[in-house]
Amino acid sequence: MSHSNTVESFTLAPGFRTAAVACGLKPSGNLDLALVAADGPCSAAGVFTTNRVKAAPVLYDQAALAENAVGIRAVLTNAGNANACTGEEGIANTRRMAELTAYALRCQPEDVLILSTGVIGRQLPMDKVTQGIAEVTSKVADTAPLQAARAIMTTDTKPKLSTRQFESNGQTVTISGFCKGAAMIHPNMATMLAIITTDAIVEPDMLQAALRAAVGRSFNRISVDGDMSTNDTVLLLASGVSGVTLDSQTLPPFTEALTDMCTDLAKQIVADGEGATKMIEITVTGAQSEAQAHMVADSIARSPLVKTAIHGGDPNWGRILCAAGYSGAPLDQERLRLSFGDEAQRLLAVERGMPTDYDLARAEALFQGNPVLIQLDLGLGDFDATVWTCDLSKEYVDLNALYTT
Amino acid sequence: MSHSNTVESFTLAPGFRTAAVACGLKPSGNLDLALVAADGPCSAAGVFTTNRVKAAPVLYDQAALAENAVGIRAVLTNAGNANACTGEEGIANTRRMAELTAYALRCQPEDVLILSTGVIGRQLPMDKVTQGIAEVTSKVADTAPLQAARAIMTTDTKPKLSTRQFESNGQTVTISGFCKGAAMIHPNMATMLAIITTDAIVEPDMLQAALRAAVGRSFNRISVDGDMSTNDTVLLLASGVSGVTLDSQTLPPFTEALTDMCTDLAKQIVADGEGATKMIEITVTGAQSEAQAHMVADSIARSPLVKTAIHGGDPNWGRILCAAGYSGAPLDQERLRLSFGDEAQRLLAVERGMPTDYDLARAEALFQGNPVLIQLDLGLGDFDATVWTCDLSKEYVDLNALYTT
């Protein structure tokens, strides 16, 4: 498995092209409409927000994939407006976006998936969107998605792209994607959009299984503020142009490469978390199940007290144990073992639930660094889970106090 | 039912005295040790943190109440050190505090309850505590708990006291208490201590039932940052000196007055939340059960995106619906009805899940005021719940980035 993250040279998997335009949805005038178009029909899979308030494009895409998971031709994404809480007019506008795109690309509306991100509760200005679709469909030719990755950004400060390749019987399969997301990020992918392409030949059911497994250990393991959005979606399209057909033998390495790529994208989201100054990696081991390990790690990752302490470079480990204690997972405080830092310079701070005689200056140095690595062993079993989050800063408050106005 | 909240004139229920000293646990040199002593043995009840990491005094008090719920004589509280994650030495120190207090008050160690609040993971400096207990027990005489309420404060900016009285067959029963808490406040009473006194005669089982009901609708309905501490405790002691015995007839008005007093204390905690500039009251109606109404209200109250928007005076209602959507409770987005403000000037912002043609300037005025009142009707049933929280400000980050060091 090889990988490259050079943003400029980055390309989608063979069989896909891209374009991006500014159609006036962002007040800044920046790029806000992105198209990924396939040269032919693709197998497709999607994982969607579990929020019970779902945006119009989420409802639309779920229906489209249920009926047409072998013939997807394009994904159109707009930023600046989430098309959520917009009722029937919102649904009609999503359908209209698919129709306009399909007309220009000479395919059927049900071959087009739609993604939206931005402010909730406002109708899309369809005159601008209509004009934008005419432009973006006429420009689609590029294979480098950097502009598309920029177009889907909201409060992100940088585009997020990743690619992986693996060999199957001497042939190369590429998996390549881009995503956005900087707040409302939490397990179940809040305000997170990702568009992933591959040139493998994959049955839709197999593609869906691989995507679900990959998302479960990547995008669903990150947290910025614990909020979950109405729009989160990860789409995976397979062009098949590599000629490599995935089967039960080759699905595991494909899923592994996909998980690795999704984890790379997920960590880019956390590193770009709103107001974030550092990344935090929390690994919980010794749990009775992976779900319980995840519960504990997630509870620590969500704690504002832990996140502000790390922002201040303060090794206030009591807050970590406290957050572990209220996760809901079984815990025996006399078995807890907490350490910081990477393997080379690990510092054991708590053993059997009590502080060791550790070097406070070393602990402070580890908490003032970036990333901050935390390991908590529960001493109850053999399962583990890792989550990634970021610190909570005053800039987060600034960014979110006046977002709509 | 009458009530008075004048801090200076405030007294405990008849049958209780109080004292407070500074013994050096707070670096500031402020009062940090508080004693509430009863003139005779009391019925007692307690509600404790559900965190699986429990401080030594929580474990001690739970055991004491299980064995001796009719003979409690005193509650000793220290601030500045939580005595949590302190192992057997911590347990021994709690027991020693009870022994020293009992010796001075001429009762048994099992008649004394202990509360601690402050930093986690450090052993108590028992030389200072021993000296402090000698002083505080020699001073106990006052019935005005203002100094005791100050002594138990950590990051609180003001003491919190409340009292209620009700008549039973021409006789007056008093319920009077004080509490502390400014962060880590969340359902199940994180980092919250409350000591409540009454002069009613009450069987321990009845007292426990009344306290559990009152806490369930007051302290467990507030949230500052979603964190839950290792030490949270609400204690209720009944001296019996009013001569009024509570029975199945008089328990309901007692529980009502107790709930009302606890709600007053709980709202004082939220109003003094770390860095808080305003209080937020969230009422969810039309739920299929009270538990589901509470889940939705709590999810909104915990959302950093909602709390920062309100801090900025921004009526970003999409974040409210979004947080409702991921609460886990059943929801039909097309039935949602959202309004702001009090009954006199209620503004309907969302109907059937979509924005109304509301007056944005009025919505902004409501979000820039204090308190901010939010009502969400789910349109699914007849149950409701109200929670209280505060906004999220940059001062919260400042306060928590450097608490231990």
Side-chain angles (χ1 to χ4, degrees), chain A residues 17-248:
Chain A
R17 291 165 299 130
T18 179
V21 300
C23 73
L25 297 176
K26 289 180 180 170
S28 61
N30 288 341
L31 295 172
D32 52 20
L33 198 63
L35 180 65
V36 171
D39 297 333
C42 295
S43 286
V47 176
F48 298 90
T49 183
T50 58
N51 198 309
R52 289 179 195 242
V53 178
K54 293 189 202 317
V58 169
L59 298 170
Y60 179 88
D61 290 353
Q62 288 180 322
L65 280 180
E67 292 189 12
N68 183 33
V70 293
I72 299 299
R73 294 291 299 267
V75 180
L76 179 76
T77 308
N78 78 272
N81 186 313
N83 197 3
C85 302
T86 46
E88 288 178 16
E89 187 178 342
I91 298 279
N93 286 339
T94 296
R95 196 176 303 118
R96 185 77 188 131
M97 288 167 76
E99 286 166 359
L100 291 166
T101 306
Y103 179 78
L105 297 179
R106 299 175 191 208
C107 60
Q108 299 303 310
E110 57 267 32
D111 304 341
V112 179
L113 300 176
I114 304 292
L115 301 173
S116 296
T117 179
V119 176
I120 295 174
R122 294 191 190 155
Q123 297 295 348
L124 279 163
M126 286 304 290
D127 51 342
K128 293 178 182 174
V129 172
T130 301
Q131 180 64 29
I133 291 172
E135 283 180 41
V136 80
T137 50
S138 70
K139 285 177 62 178
V140 67
D142 197 3
T143 60
L146 179 59
Q147 297 308 312
R150 284 191 197 285
I152 69 170
M153 287 163 49
T154 51
T155 55
D156 308 64
T157 66
K158 54 187 82 159
K160 299 166 182 74
L161 310 97
S162 186
T163 190
R164 294 289 184 276
Q165 291 189 322
F166 74 98
E167 300 293 316
S168 176
N169 300 324
Q171 291 176 287
T172 299
V173 171
T174 300
I175 304 169
S176 190
F178 59 102
C179 72
K180 62 88 47 175
M184 268 196 177
I185 302 298
H186 194 68
N188 308 313
M189 305 183 313
T191 308
M192 206 282 292
L193 300 179
I195 299 149
I196 306 166
T197 59
T198 180
D199 55 1
I201 302 171
V202 205
E203 288 290 311
D205 288 354
M206 218 176 244
L207 199 65
Q208 184 69 36
L211 183 62
R212 195 166 290 285
V215 168
R217 294 196 171 182
S218 57
F219 296 117
N220 283 352
R221 289 284 169 87
I222 60 174
S223 172
V224 169
D225 54 17
D227 277 274
M228 263 194 268
S229 102
T230 51
N231 290 59
D232 306 323
T233 305
V234 179
L235 296 177
L236 171 56
L237 273 59
S239 70
V241 305
S242 68
V244 178
T245 302
L246 293 192
D247 55 24
S248 58

Side-chain angles (χ1 to χ4, degrees), chain B residues 111-128:
Chain B
D111 303 343
V112 179
L113 300 176
I114 305 292
L115 300 174
S116 297
T117 179
V119 176
I120 295 174
R122 295 193 188 153
Q123 297 295 347
L124 280 163
M126 286 303 289
D127 51 341
K128 293 178 180 174

Side-chain angles (χ1 to χ4, degrees), chain B residues 21-45:
Chain B
V21 300
C23 73
L25 297 176
K26 289 180 181 170
S28 61
N30 288 342
L31 294 171
D32 52 21
L33 198 64
L35 179 65
V36 170
D39 297 333
C42 293
S43 287

Side-chain angles (χ1 to χ4, degrees), chain B residues 17-182:
Chain B
R17 292 165 297 132
T18 179
V21 300
C23 73
L25 297 176
K26 289 180 181 170
S28 61
N30 288 342
L31 294 171
D32 52 21
L33 198 64
L35 179 65
V36 170
D39 297 333
C42 293
S43 287
V47 176
F48 298 91
T49 182
T50 59
N51 198 309
R52 290 181 196 242
V53 178
K54 291 189 204 318
V58 169
L59 298 170
Y60 179 88
D61 289 354
Q62 288 180 323
L65 280 180
E67 291 189 13
N68 182 33
V70 293
I72 299 299
R73 295 291 299 267
V75 179
L76 179 75
T77 308
N78 77 272
N81 185 311
N83 196 4
C85 302
T86 46
E88 288 179 16
E89 188 179 342
I91 298 280
N93 286 340
T94 296
R95 196 176 302 119
R96 185 77 187 131
M97 289 168 76
E99 286 166 357
L100 291 166
T101 306
Y103 180 78
L105 297 180
R106 300 176 189 203
C107 61
Q108 299 302 313
E110 57 268 31
D111 303 343
V112 179
L113 300 176
I114 305 292
L115 300 174
S116 297
T117 179
V119 176
I120 295 174
R122 295 193 188 153
Q123 297 295 347
L124 280 163
M126 286 303 289
D127 51 341
K128 293 178 180 174
V129 172
T130 301
Q131 181 63 31
I133 292 172
E135 282 179 42
V136 81
T137 51
S138 70
K139 285 177 61 179
V140 67
D142 197 2
T143 60
L146 180 58
Q147 297 308 313
R150 283 193 197 285
I152 69 171
M153 286 163 50
T154 52
T155 54
D156 309 64
T157 66
K158 54 187 80 159
K160 299 165 182 74
L161 310 98
S162 187
T163 189
R164 294 291 183 275
Q165 291 189 321
F166 74 98
E167 301 293 316
S168 176
N169 300 323
Q171 291 176 288
T172 299
V173 171
T174 299
I175 305 170
S176 192
F178 59 101
C179 72
K180 61 89 46 175

Side-chain angles (χ1 to χ4, degrees), chain B residues 11-16 39 165 173-175 197-200 238-242:
Chain B
T11 62
L12 290 177
F16 297 94
D39 297 333
Q165 291 189 321
V173 171
T174 299
I175 305 170
T197 60
T198 180
D199 54 0
S239 69
V241 304
S242 68

